[in-house]
Coordinates of all heavy atoms in Angstrom, one line a residue:
Chain A
M2 N -11.9 -15.0 51.3 CA -12.0 -13.5 51.3 C -10.9 -13.0 50.2 O -11.2 -12.1 49.5 CB -11.6 -13.1 52.7 CG -11.5 -11.5 52.8 SD -13.0 -10.7 52.4 CE -13.7 -10.5 54.1
F4 N -9.8 -14.3 47.6 CA -10.2 -14.5 46.2 C -11.2 -13.5 45.8 O -11.1 -13.0 44.6 CB -10.8 -15.9 46.0 CG -9.8 -17.0 46.1 CD1 -9.6 -17.8 47.3 CD2 -9.0 -17.4 45.1 CE1 -8.7 -18.8 47.5 CE2 -8.0 -18.3 45.2 CZ -7.9 -19.0 46.4
L5 N -12.0 -13.1 46.7 CA -13.1 -12.0 46.4 C -12.4 -10.7 46.2 O -12.7 -10.0 45.2 CB -14.1 -12.0 47.5 CG -15.1 -10.9 47.5 CD1 -16.0 -11.1 46.2 CD2 -16.0 -10.8 48.7
V6 N -11.4 -10.4 47.1 CA -10.7 -9.2 47.0 C -9.9 -9.1 45.6 O -10.0 -8.1 44.9 CB -9.7 -9.0 48.1 CG1 -8.8 -7.7 48.0 CG2 -10.5 -8.8 49.5
A7 N -9.3 -10.2 45.3 CA -8.5 -10.2 44.1 C -9.4 -10.1 42.9 O -9.1 -9.3 41.9 CB -7.8 -11.6 44.0
A8 N -10.6 -10.7 42.9 CA -11.6 -10.6 41.7 C -12.1 -9.2 41.6 O -12.1 -8.6 40.5 CB -12.7 -11.5 41.9
Q9 N -12.4 -8.6 42.8 CA -12.8 -7.2 42.7 C -11.8 -6.2 42.2 O -12.1 -5.3 41.4 CB -13.2 -6.8 44.2 CG -13.8 -5.4 44.3 CD -15.2 -5.3 44.1 OE1 -16.0 -5.6 45.0 NE2 -15.7 -4.9 42.9
V10 N -10.5 -6.4 42.7 CA -9.4 -5.5 42.2 C -9.2 -5.7 40.7 O -9.1 -4.7 40.0 CB -8.2 -5.7 43.0 CG1 -7.0 -5.1 42.4 CG2 -8.4 -5.3 44.5
I11 N -9.2 -6.9 40.3 CA -9.0 -7.3 38.8 C -10.1 -6.6 38.0 O -9.7 -6.0 37.0 CB -8.9 -8.8 38.6 CG1 -7.6 -9.3 39.1 CG2 -9.0 -9.1 37.1 CD1 -7.5 -10.8 39.2
V12 N -11.3 -6.7 38.3 CA -12.4 -6.1 37.5 C -12.3 -4.6 37.5 O -12.4 -4.0 36.4 CB -13.8 -6.6 38.1 CG1 -14.9 -5.8 37.5 CG2 -14.0 -8.1 37.9
L13 N -12.1 -4.0 38.6 CA -12.0 -2.5 38.6 C -10.9 -2.0 37.9 O -10.9 -1.1 37.1 CB -12.1 -2.1 40.1 CG -13.5 -2.2 40.8 CD1 -13.3 -1.8 42.3 CD2 -14.5 -1.3 40.2
S15 N -9.1 -3.5 35.6 CA -9.2 -3.8 34.2 C -10.1 -2.7 33.4 O -9.7 -2.2 32.4 CB -9.7 -5.1 33.9 OG -8.9 -6.1 34.5
M16 N -11.2 -2.5 34.0 CA -12.1 -1.5 33.4 C -11.6 -0.2 33.4 O -11.6 0.5 32.4 CB -13.5 -1.6 34.0 CG -14.3 -2.9 33.8 SD -15.9 -2.8 34.2 CE -16.4 -4.5 34.2
Y19 N -8.5 0.1 31.1 CA -8.9 0.0 29.7 C -9.4 1.4 29.3 O -9.0 2.0 28.2 CB -9.9 -1.0 29.5 CG -10.4 -1.2 28.0 CD1 -9.5 -1.5 27.0 CD2 -11.8 -1.0 27.7 CE1 -10.0 -1.6 25.7 CE2 -12.2 -1.1 26.4 CZ -11.3 -1.5 25.4 OH -11.7 -1.6 24.1
A20 N -10.3 2.1 30.1 CA -10.8 3.3 29.8 C -9.7 4.4 29.7 O -9.7 5.2 28.7 CB -11.8 3.8 30.8
W22 N -6.5 3.8 29.0 CA -5.7 3.5 27.9 C -6.3 4.1 26.6 O -5.6 4.7 25.7 CB -5.5 2.0 27.7 CG -4.8 1.6 26.4 CD1 -3.5 1.6 26.1 CD2 -5.5 1.1 25.2 NE1 -3.3 1.1 24.9 CE2 -4.5 0.8 24.3 CE3 -6.8 0.8 24.9 CZ2 -4.8 0.3 23.0 CZ3 -7.1 0.3 23.6 CH2 -6.0 0.1 22.7
I23 N -7.7 4.0 26.5 CA -8.3 4.6 25.3 C -8.2 6.0 25.3 O -7.9 6.6 24.2 CB -9.9 4.2 25.4 CG1 -10.1 2.6 25.2 CG2 -10.7 4.9 24.3 CD1 -11.5 2.2 25.4
R24 N -8.5 6.7 26.4 CA -8.3 8.1 26.5 C -6.9 8.6 26.1 O -6.8 9.6 25.4 CB -8.6 8.6 28.0 CG -10.1 8.7 28.2 CD -10.7 9.9 27.5 NE -12.1 10.0 27.6 CZ -12.6 10.9 28.5 NH1 -11.8 11.6 29.3 NH2 -13.9 11.0 28.6
R26 N -4.7 7.1 24.3 CA -4.4 6.9 22.8 C -5.1 8.0 22.0 O -4.6 8.5 21.0 CB -4.9 5.5 22.4 CG -3.8 4.4 22.6 CD -4.1 3.2 21.7 NE -3.7 3.5 20.3 CZ -4.1 2.7 19.3 NH1 -4.5 1.6 19.6 NH2 -3.8 3.0 18.0
R27 N -6.3 8.3 22.4 CA -7.1 9.2 21.6 C -6.5 10.6 21.8 O -6.4 11.4 20.8 CB -8.5 9.3 22.2 CG -9.5 9.7 21.3 CD -10.9 9.4 21.7 NE -11.9 10.3 21.2 CZ -13.1 10.4 21.6 NH1 -13.6 9.7 22.6 NH2 -14.0 11.2 20.9
L30 N -3.4 10.7 19.7 CA -3.8 10.9 18.2 C -4.1 12.3 17.9 O -3.8 12.8 16.8 CB -5.0 10.0 17.9 CG -4.7 8.6 17.4 CD1 -6.0 7.8 17.2 CD2 -3.9 8.6 16.2
E31 N -4.9 13.0 18.8 CA -5.3 14.3 18.5 C -4.2 15.3 18.6 O -4.3 16.4 17.9 CB -6.5 14.7 19.5 CG -7.8 14.1 19.1 CD -8.9 14.0 20.2 OE1 -8.6 14.7 21.2 OE2 -9.9 13.3 20.0
T33 N -1.1 14.5 17.5 CA -0.3 14.1 16.4 C -0.8 14.8 15.1 O -2.0 14.8 14.8 CB -0.3 12.6 16.1 OG1 -0.1 12.0 17.3 CG2 0.7 12.1 15.1
P34 N 0.2 15.4 14.3 CA -0.3 16.1 13.0 C -0.9 15.0 12.1 O -0.5 13.8 12.2 CB 1.0 16.6 12.5 CG 2.0 16.6 13.5 CD 1.6 15.5 14.5
H35 N -1.8 15.4 11.3 CA -2.5 14.6 10.3 C -1.6 13.9 9.4 O -0.7 14.5 8.8 CB -3.5 15.4 9.5 CG -4.6 14.7 8.8 ND1 -4.3 14.1 7.6 CD2 -5.8 14.3 9.2 CE1 -5.5 13.5 7.2 NE2 -6.4 13.6 8.2
T36 N -1.6 12.6 9.4 CA -0.6 11.8 8.6 C -1.1 11.1 7.4 O -0.4 10.4 6.8 CB 0.1 10.7 9.5 OG1 -1.0 9.9 10.0 CG2 0.8 11.3 10.7
G37 N -2.4 11.4 7.1 CA -3.0 10.7 6.0 C -2.6 11.2 4.6 O -1.8 12.2 4.5
S38 N -3.0 10.4 3.6 CA -2.6 10.7 2.2 C -3.5 11.7 1.6 O -3.3 12.2 0.5 CB -2.6 9.5 1.4 OG -3.8 8.9 1.4
G39 N -4.6 11.9 2.3 CA -5.6 12.8 1.6 C -6.4 12.1 0.5 O -7.2 12.8 -0.2
R40 N -6.3 10.8 0.5 CA -6.9 10.0 -0.6 C -8.5 10.2 -0.6 O -9.1 10.4 -1.6 CB -6.6 8.5 -0.3 CG -7.2 7.6 -1.4 CD -6.9 6.2 -1.0 NE -7.3 5.7 0.3 CZ -8.5 5.3 0.6 NH1 -9.4 5.1 -0.4 NH2 -8.8 4.8 1.8
T41 N -9.0 10.2 0.7 CA -10.5 10.3 0.7 C -11.0 11.6 0.2 O -11.9 11.8 -0.6 CB -11.0 10.2 2.2 OG1 -10.4 9.0 2.7 CG2 -12.5 10.1 2.3
T42 N -10.3 12.7 0.6 CA -10.7 14.0 0.2 C -10.5 14.2 -1.3 O -11.4 14.7 -2.0 CB -9.7 15.1 0.8 OG1 -9.6 14.8 2.2 CG2 -10.2 16.5 0.7
Chain B
I23 N -20.7 8.0 20.5 CA -19.5 8.6 21.0 C -19.9 9.7 22.1 O -19.4 9.7 23.2 CB -18.6 9.2 19.9 CG1 -18.1 8.1 19.0 CG2 -17.5 9.9 20.5 CD1 -17.4 8.5 17.8
W40 N -22.2 -0.3 43.3 CA -22.0 -1.7 43.1 C -21.0 -2.3 44.2 O -21.3 -3.3 44.8 CB -21.5 -2.1 41.7 CG -21.1 -3.4 41.4 CD1 -21.8 -4.5 41.5 CD2 -19.7 -3.8 41.0 NE1 -21.0 -5.6 41.2 CE2 -19.7 -5.2 40.9 CE3 -18.5 -3.2 40.8 CZ2 -18.6 -6.0 40.6 CZ3 -17.4 -3.8 40.5 CH2 -17.5 -5.2 40.3
V41 N -19.8 -1.6 44.3 CA -18.8 -2.1 45.3 C -19.5 -2.1 46.7 O -19.3 -3.0 47.5 CB -17.6 -1.2 45.3 CG1 -16.6 -1.5 46.4 CG2 -16.9 -1.4 43.9
W45 N -20.1 -5.5 49.0 CA -19.4 -5.7 50.3 C -20.3 -5.5 51.5 O -20.2 -6.1 52.6 CB -18.2 -4.8 50.4 CG -17.1 -5.2 49.5 CD1 -16.9 -4.8 48.3 CD2 -16.2 -6.2 49.8 NE1 -15.8 -5.5 47.7 CE2 -15.3 -6.4 48.7 CE3 -15.9 -7.0 50.9 CZ2 -14.3 -7.2 48.6 CZ3 -14.8 -7.9 50.9 CH2 -14.0 -8.0 49.7
V57 N -17.9 -16.8 52.1 CA -17.8 -15.5 51.5 C -17.4 -15.5 50.0 O -17.8 -14.6 49.2 CB -16.8 -14.6 52.3 CG1 -15.4 -14.9 52.0 CG2 -17.1 -13.1 52.0
K60 N -19.7 -14.4 47.0 CA -19.9 -13.1 46.5 C -19.2 -12.9 45.1 O -19.5 -11.8 44.4 CB -19.3 -12.1 47.5 CG -20.1 -11.9 48.7 CD -19.7 -10.7 49.5 CE -20.6 -10.5 50.7 NZ -20.5 -9.2 51.3
I61 N -18.4 -13.7 44.6 CA -17.7 -13.6 43.4 C -18.9 -13.8 42.3 O -18.7 -13.3 41.1 CB -16.6 -14.6 43.1 CG1 -15.5 -14.3 44.2 CG2 -16.0 -14.6 41.8 CD1 -14.3 -15.3 44.2
L64 N -19.5 -10.6 40.7 CA -18.4 -10.0 39.7 C -18.3 -10.9 38.5 O -18.0 -10.4 37.4 CB -17.0 -10.1 40.4 CG -16.8 -9.1 41.6 CD1 -17.6 -9.4 42.8 CD2 -15.4 -9.0 41.8
E103 N -14.0 -5.7 20.8 CA -12.8 -5.5 21.7 C -13.4 -5.4 23.2 O -12.8 -6.0 24.1 CB -12.0 -4.2 21.4 CG -10.7 -4.2 22.1 CD -9.9 -3.0 21.7 OE1 -9.4 -3.0 20.5 OE2 -9.7 -2.1 22.4
V104 N -14.4 -4.6 23.4 CA -15.0 -4.5 24.8 C -15.6 -5.9 25.2 O -15.4 -6.3 26.3 CB -16.1 -3.4 24.8 CG1 -16.6 -3.3 26.2 CG2 -15.5 -2.1 24.4
L107 N -12.9 -8.0 26.5 CA -12.5 -7.6 27.9 C -13.5 -8.3 28.9 O -13.0 -8.9 29.8 CB -12.6 -6.0 28.0 CG -12.5 -5.5 29.5 CD1 -11.0 -5.6 29.9 CD2 -13.0 -4.1 29.6
F108 N -14.8 -8.2 28.6 CA -15.7 -8.8 29.5 C -15.6 -10.4 29.6 O -15.7 -10.9 30.6 CB -17.2 -8.5 29.2 CG -17.5 -7.0 29.7 CD1 -17.6 -6.0 28.8 CD2 -17.8 -6.9 31.0 CE1 -17.9 -4.7 29.3 CE2 -18.1 -5.6 31.5 CZ -18.2 -4.5 30.7
L111 N -12.5 -11.1 31.7 CA -12.9 -10.9 33.1 C -13.8 -12.1 33.5 O -13.7 -12.5 34.7 CB -13.6 -9.6 33.3 CG -12.7 -8.4 33.2 CD1 -13.5 -7.1 33.3 CD2 -11.6 -8.4 34.3
V114 N -11.5 -15.1 34.1 CA -10.5 -14.8 35.3 C -11.4 -14.9 36.6 O -10.9 -15.6 37.6 CB -9.8 -13.5 35.2 CG1 -9.0 -13.2 36.4 CG2 -8.8 -13.5 34.0
T115 N -12.5 -14.2 36.7 CA -13.3 -14.3 37.9 C -13.8 -15.7 38.1 O -14.0 -16.1 39.3 CB -14.4 -13.2 37.9 OG1 -15.2 -13.4 36.7 CG2 -13.9 -11.8 38.0
L118 N -11.1 -17.6 39.8 CA -11.0 -17.2 41.2 C -12.2 -17.6 42.0 O -12.1 -17.7 43.3 CB -10.9 -15.6 41.3 CG -9.6 -15.0 40.8 CD1 -9.7 -13.5 40.6 CD2 -8.5 -15.3 41.8
K121 N -11.5 -21.9 42.4 CA -10.4 -22.4 43.3 C -10.9 -22.6 44.8 O -10.7 -23.7 45.3 CB -9.2 -21.4 43.2 CG -8.1 -21.7 44.1 CD -7.4 -23.1 43.6 CE -6.2 -23.4 44.5 NZ -5.8 -24.8 44.3
P122 N -11.5 -21.6 45.4 CA -12.0 -21.8 46.8 C -13.2 -22.8 46.9 O -13.3 -23.4 47.9 CB -12.4 -20.4 47.3 CG -12.6 -19.6 46.1 CD -11.8 -20.1 45.0
W127 N -8.3 -24.4 39.8 CA -8.5 -23.2 39.0 C -9.4 -23.4 37.8 O -10.1 -22.5 37.4 CB -7.1 -22.6 38.6 CG -6.3 -22.2 39.8 CD1 -5.2 -22.9 40.3 CD2 -6.4 -21.0 40.5 NE1 -4.6 -22.2 41.3 CE2 -5.4 -21.0 41.5 CE3 -7.2 -19.9 40.5 CZ2 -5.1 -20.0 42.4 CZ3 -7.0 -18.8 41.4 CH2 -6.0 -18.9 42.4
Y207 N -22.6 -3.5 35.0 CA -21.8 -4.0 33.9 C -22.3 -3.5 32.6 O -21.5 -3.2 31.7 CB -21.7 -5.5 33.9 CG -20.6 -6.1 34.9 CD1 -20.5 -5.6 36.2 CD2 -19.8 -7.1 34.5 CE1 -19.5 -6.1 37.0 CE2 -18.8 -7.6 35.3 CZ -18.7 -7.2 36.6 OH -17.8 -7.7 37.5
A210 N -21.3 0.1 32.2 CA -19.8 0.1 32.0 C -19.6 -0.3 30.5 O -18.7 0.3 29.8 CB -19.1 -0.9 32.9
L214 N -17.6 2.1 27.8 CA -16.4 1.6 27.2 C -16.6 1.6 25.7 O -15.6 1.9 24.9 CB -16.0 0.3 27.8 CG -15.5 0.3 29.2 CD1 -15.3 -1.1 29.7 CD2 -14.3 1.2 29.4
E217 N -16.4 5.1 24.3 CA -15.0 5.6 24.3 C -14.1 4.9 23.2 O -13.4 5.6 22.5 CB -14.3 5.3 25.7 CG -14.8 6.2 26.8 CD -14.3 7.7 26.7 OE1 -13.6 8.0 25.7 OE2 -14.6 8.5 27.6
R218 N -14.3 3.6 23.0 CA -13.6 2.8 22.1 C -13.9 3.2 20.6 O -13.1 3.3 19.8 CB -13.8 1.3 22.3 CG -12.9 0.4 21.4 CD -11.5 0.7 21.7 NE -10.6 -0.1 20.8 CZ -10.2 0.3 19.5 NH1 -10.7 1.5 19.1 NH2 -9.4 -0.4 18.8
G220 N -15.0 6.1 19.8 CA -14.4 7.4 19.6 C -12.9 7.4 19.2 O -12.5 8.1 18.3
L221 N -12.2 6.4 19.8 CA -10.8 6.1 19.4 C -10.7 5.7 17.9 O -9.9 6.1 17.2 CB -10.2 5.1 20.4 CG -8.8 4.7 20.0 CD1 -7.8 5.9 20.0 CD2 -8.3 3.6 21.0
S224 N -11.3 8.5 15.6 CA -10.1 9.4 15.6 C -9.0 8.7 14.7 O -8.3 9.4 14.0 CB -9.5 9.6 17.0 OG -10.4 10.3 17.8
E225 N -8.8 7.4 14.8 CA -7.8 6.6 14.1 C -8.1 6.8 12.6 O -7.3 7.0 11.8 CB -7.8 5.2 14.5 CG -7.0 5.0 15.8 CD -7.2 3.6 16.4 OE1 -8.0 2.8 16.0 OE2 -6.3 3.2 17.3
E227 N -9.9 9.1 11.1 CA -9.7 10.5 10.6 C -8.2 10.8 10.4 O -7.8 11.5 9.5 CB -10.3 11.4 11.7 CG -11.8 11.5 11.6 CD -12.4 12.2 12.7 OE1 -11.6 12.7 13.7 OE2 -13.6 12.4 12.8
Q228 N -7.4 10.1 11.2 CA -6.0 10.3 11.1 C -5.4 9.8 9.8 O -4.5 10.4 9.2 CB -5.3 9.6 12.3 CG -3.8 9.9 12.5 CD -3.6 11.4 13.1 OE1 -4.6 12.0 13.5 NE2 -2.4 11.9 12.9
V229 N -5.9 8.7 9.3 CA -5.4 8.1 8.1 C -6.1 8.5 6.8 O -5.7 8.2 5.7 CB -5.3 6.6 8.1 CG1 -4.4 6.1 9.2 CG2 -6.7 6.0 8.3
A230 N -7.3 9.2 7.1 CA -8.1 9.6 5.9 C -7.4 10.7 5.0 O -6.6 11.5 5.6 CB -9.4 10.1 6.4

Side-chain angles (χ1 to χ4, degrees):
Chain A
M2 175 67 91
F4 291 99
L5 175 62
V6 173
Q9 182 87 78
V10 169
I11 288 170
V12 167
L13 288 174
S15 303
M16 288 192 194
Y19 180 60
W22 172 79
I23 293 171
R24 276 292 176 96
R26 274 203 68 187
R27 205 167 157 191
L30 268 179
E31 280 162 13
T33 311
H35 197 273
T36 56
S38 61
R40 182 180 58 87
T41 309
T42 314
Chain B
I23 295 169
W40 170 63
V41 172
W45 288 93
V57 76
K60 286 195 177 190
I61 299 178
L64 287 71
E103 196 175 288
V104 181
L107 172 73
F108 280 104
L111 288 175
V114 172
T115 54
L118 285 166
K121 182 63 180 167
W127 295 102
Y207 275 47
L214 291 173
E217 288 285 3
R218 184 62 184 85
L221 173 62
S224 297
E225 285 170 342
E227 283 168 356
Q228 191 71 13
V229 296

